[in-house]
Each structure stands twice: as C-alpha cells, then as structure tokens.
C-alpha cells in the first residue's frame, strides 16, 4: 500500500492564471501517485462570498457582485484553457448552483447555517479549475469532493471533526484512487450526518490538510505559502525577520495560539499526535528548504514576536468577598464554551480576573450577562496584544514603551505579553 503525501495550496497561490501556471510547474516537477492536493478558494473569493451572503440575508440584489465573481473565475480560465474547453461549462454550472443557494429562502432562516451552505463554493470552483489544468499539463489526476470525506458534527462555522468516520471515509474513497492517480480536493468544508455542508473555521484549509495527512497515514504534509517558511516575526513589520530551519511541534502550536498567521491553529495537534512532519515552503521558490515542524525537542531560542488584533478584555471583580477563591475559573470556562469564545489570556488575583477573548459581535450587556450574579463586569473591545516568546532585554524594554495605553501585562522568563489600545503604534 502506498504512503500518501499531502500538499496544501492557499488562495494566494492560485489567485490568477499565472499563479496557477506556477503551481502547475511546481506540482509537475514533484508528480507522483499518492499525492493529495488540498486547495483553497482563489484569491479573495471567500471574502467576496461573505459579502454575497450578507447581501442575500439582507434581501439586497447581488446580481452585479455575483457576475463579477463569475467573470473573475472565467478570466482565470481564459488564461489557462482554449475557449471551447469543458471547464467553462463546469464553472458556469457551479455558479448556477451558487445562485440557487443564495436565492433559497428556506436556508436563510438560520444565517450561520446559510453561511456554511454558500461559503464552500469558492473551494469547489477552484479545485475544478486546478484539476482540469493539471490534466492539460499531462498530469492526470482526479477531482474529489471533500464533503464525501470529512465528517463532522452540525455546529455551524466551526464544526468538530468526527475523526473515526473521517478516517474510514478517507481510506475507503482515496486509497484505491491514489494507487493510480493523484487527487485534488477542497479545504475548509465537510458534511454532517444529515448531509449538510459544514465548515471548519475561517482559513481552515490547513486543518483539512492535517486531517487528510492523519487519516491516510501520510509521510508528510506540506503547506505552500508566499513566504520562505516560518519567521520569528511578520516580515511586513520586521524586514530582518529570521527563518526557522526547524521548529518543534510545541513551539509551533504556541505560536499559532498566540496569533501567528502562517498556520491554522488546529493544524499542529493532530500531526504532532501521529508524528507526521509538517513542511512550510514557498511556492515562489519551491526548491528552497523552508521550515520543517516535527518532534525535535528543544527549539532554537530565537525571540518570536506576534501581534494579534481585534481582542476584547472582560474585567471581572468579585461581588461577595466571602467567595474569594479559585472556584470562578470553572464558571469562566463554562461561559466561554457556551458562547464559543476563544480565551487568549487569563490573569487573576484573589478578587479580580481579567479575561482576554477574540473580539465577538456582542454588546457589553451580552458579554456581562453570564457573570452578573457573581461579578461586577467591565469590558473593552478593539484591543491588540503583543506576544514575545524567548524575549531578550531589548524586546522587554522596546515593547513596554510601544504599548502606550496598557490594559494588561503578563511577564515571565520565557514569555511576555502586553494588551493595549489598537491605535497604538506597532514599532
């Protein structure tokens, strides 16, 4: 039995015809049976689909925007195929299905459910184009609907994977195909037990690649990006950022948790559990080494700086001083789970707790309501956090000065964090 290899290509790598030609050359050079290619929506398609969803829910006309999105994909096809190629009919058919879904009144009763039924069309369309183009290059491959593989619960926008069922479906559907041909499939989407399309969270295609890698026992997973690998800071902010040759799974997981955007946060855990190495490489320079993430033990102690925006701070002060103690953490985590909050930082004293979460579309009253019986509550949205791992004295001094209006500081020997006003300068 073959041991598969998983490649993931994001939207930037297939944003136009020239970008897809580059990916075609990259893949052709590395062509092999057993290859699974997980592909995102092209360019900014997901953003544009979110706009269409918003317009449809508000019962606004979306004809112009839908035609513009169709023109964008047809323009890509015109740069890759002759005018009579069958891919044009396939793309038109996908857009006809997209229109019917956007116009389906029964789906709009639940906006989040409606979102999941629409948003995956970007991946369905892009993978049709990629698969057809690879075949044009002489790289015969098969198109596979990821919804036949990835099985989830019915939670909207952030479905949980049923790993046992997903492994069963992946192996049954893909192993016979991969013995003869590589396969192109979609990131981000799955199906619940009722047959409804589900999604794995924004930017979830990295996670899909990990799901495929684990389900198939892949030799490795490679995420192809527009950067040379994983750097110790955002190159747009830090021109001298250093690339890691290798990272331990634990170090990489911490980076994604604190807001590093190179890899989706859920990607690391399943690969680490099964010991499958993850490569992050540049599709602009595919022969370069990139970064490999694996079980290396102690990682290089290079300072790592991560910025995360759009955070909300909830400040809780105990009402009944006779109830001071650690009991309140259980309440906080119960509320976070129920409200689907992601806690970024939690800091406590005997009578006061600060909880930092990802910004939510909630009012102050909605944030405060679950805690009012126990705490006096204040909240502040639109905050930013700087996290520095392995800090030197220089980082400690510099960023303490940068974060002018400081709301929270956490300081330890291996990690420092500051939460401050979004409008404060970064460097």
């Amino acid at each position: 039995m073959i041991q598969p290899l998983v490649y993931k290509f994001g939207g930037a790598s297939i944003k136009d015809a020239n970008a897809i030609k580059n990916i075609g050359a990259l893949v052709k050079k590395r062509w092999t049976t057993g290859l699974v290619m997980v592909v995102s929506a092209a360019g900014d398609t997901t953003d544009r689909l979110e706009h269409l969803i918003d317009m449809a829910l508000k019962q606004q006309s979306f004809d112009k925007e839908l035609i513009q999105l169709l023109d964008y994909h047809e323009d890509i096809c015109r740069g890759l195929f002759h005018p009579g190629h069958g891919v044009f009919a396939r793309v038109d058919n996908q857009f006809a299905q997209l229109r019917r879904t956007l116009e389906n009144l029964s789906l709009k009763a639940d906006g989040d459910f409606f979102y999941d039924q629409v948003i995956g069309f970007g991946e369905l369309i892009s993978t049709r184009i990629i698969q057809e183009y690879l075949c044009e290059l002489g790289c015969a491959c098969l198109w596979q609907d990821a919804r036949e593989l990835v099985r989830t619960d019915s939670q909207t926008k952030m479905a949980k994977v049923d790993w046992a069922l997903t492994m069963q479906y992946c192996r049954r559907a893909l192993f016979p195909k991969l013995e003869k041909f590589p396969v192109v499939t979609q990131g981000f989407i799955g199906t619940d037990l009722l047959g409804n399309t589900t999604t794995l969270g924004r930017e979830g295609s990295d996670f899909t690649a990990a799901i495929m890698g684990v389900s198939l026992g892949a030799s490795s997973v490679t995420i192809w990006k527009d950067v040379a690998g994983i750097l110790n800071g955002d190159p747009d902010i830090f021109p001298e950022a250093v690339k890691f040759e290798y990272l331990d799974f634990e170090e990489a997981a911490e980076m994604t948790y604190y807001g590093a955007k190179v890899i989706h946060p859920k990607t690391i855990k399943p690969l680490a559990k099964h010991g499958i190495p993850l490569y992050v490489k540049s599709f602009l320079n595919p022969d370069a080494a990139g970064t490999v993430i694996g079980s290396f033990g102690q990682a290089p102690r290079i300072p790592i700086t991560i910025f995360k925006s759009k955070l909300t701070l909830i400040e809780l002060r105990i009402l009944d001083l006779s109830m001071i103690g650690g009991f309140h953490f259980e309440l906080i985590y119960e509320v976070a789970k129920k409200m689907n909050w992601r806690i970024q930082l939690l800091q406590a004293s005997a009578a006061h707790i600060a909880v930092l979460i990802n910004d939510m579309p909630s009012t102050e009253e909605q944030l405060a309501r679950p805690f009012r019986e126990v705490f006096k509550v204040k909240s502040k949205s639109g905050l930013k956090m700087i996290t520095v791992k392995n800090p030197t004295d220089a980082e400690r001094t510099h960023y303490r000065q940068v974060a002018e209006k400081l709301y929270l500081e956490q300081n330890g020997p291996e990690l420092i964090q500051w939460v401050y006003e979004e409008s404060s300068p970064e460097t």
Side-chain angles (χ1 to χ4, degrees), residues 69-267:
L69 189 58
L70 172 60
D71 287 343
Y72 167 67
H73 284 86
E74 289 189 336
D75 187 57
I76 290 175
C77 292
R78 282 190 288 270
L80 300 173
F81 305 98
H82 62 80
H85 196 281
V87 71
F88 291 95
R90 290 186 174 89
V91 169
D92 286 345
N93 180 58
Q94 289 284 355
F95 270 90
Q97 292 182 46
L98 172 57
R99 176 180 287 278
R100 287 194 295 271
T101 305
L102 287 166
E103 292 174 344
N104 190 326
L105 294 176
S106 64
L107 296 178
K108 298 177 186 179
D110 182 337
D112 288 347
F113 178 80
F114 180 63
Y115 178 97
D116 279 358
Q117 307 319 299
V118 174
I119 201 70
F121 273 94
E123 280 74 12
L124 294 169
I125 295 164
S126 67
T127 49
R128 283 292 185 191
I129 296 171
I130 293 292
Q131 185 260 342
E132 293 282 358
Y133 179 65
L134 290 173
C135 290
E136 282 284 293
L137 290 181
C139 301
C141 57
L142 303 175
W143 184 88
Q144 172 68 55
D145 192 330
R147 294 171 297 183
E148 297 174 357
L149 308 175
V150 180
R151 297 295 167 144
T152 73
D153 66 6
S154 298
Q155 182 174 324
T156 53
K157 289 191 170 183
M158 191 70 75
K160 292 183 174 61
V161 175
D162 184 324
W163 283 95
L165 273 180
T166 297
M167 287 184 183
Q168 178 183 334
Y169 279 95
C170 282
R171 293 177 181 186
R172 182 189 301 166
L174 293 184
F175 274 138
K177 296 175 181 178
L178 291 171
E179 291 284 352
K180 298 179 180 179
F181 300 103
V183 167
V184 177
T185 193
Q186 306 79 39
F188 181 48
I189 57 175
T191 306
D192 67 11
L193 293 177
L194 299 174
N196 299 311
T197 300
T198 57
T199 59
L200 305 178
R202 199 69 156 80
E203 309 293 340
S205 294
D206 288 358
F207 185 32
T208 301
I211 292 168
M212 295 296 163
V214 168
S215 297
L216 298 171
S219 58
S220 67
V221 173
T222 302
I223 296 176
W224 295 93
K225 308 283 289 186
D226 57 357
V227 293
I230 296 181
L231 310 178
N232 72 329
D234 185 337
D236 292 334
I237 301 171
F238 304 100
E240 304 302 320
V242 176
K243 180 176 74 71
F244 290 96
E245 300 300 322
Y246 67 94
L247 269 176
D248 189 73
F249 281 124
E250 181 178 326
E251 187 92 334
E254 286 188 333
M255 289 176 67
T256 61
Y257 177 81
Y258 292 123
K261 296 178 181 179
V262 175
I263 305 168
H264 188 275
K266 290 185 178 180
T267 306

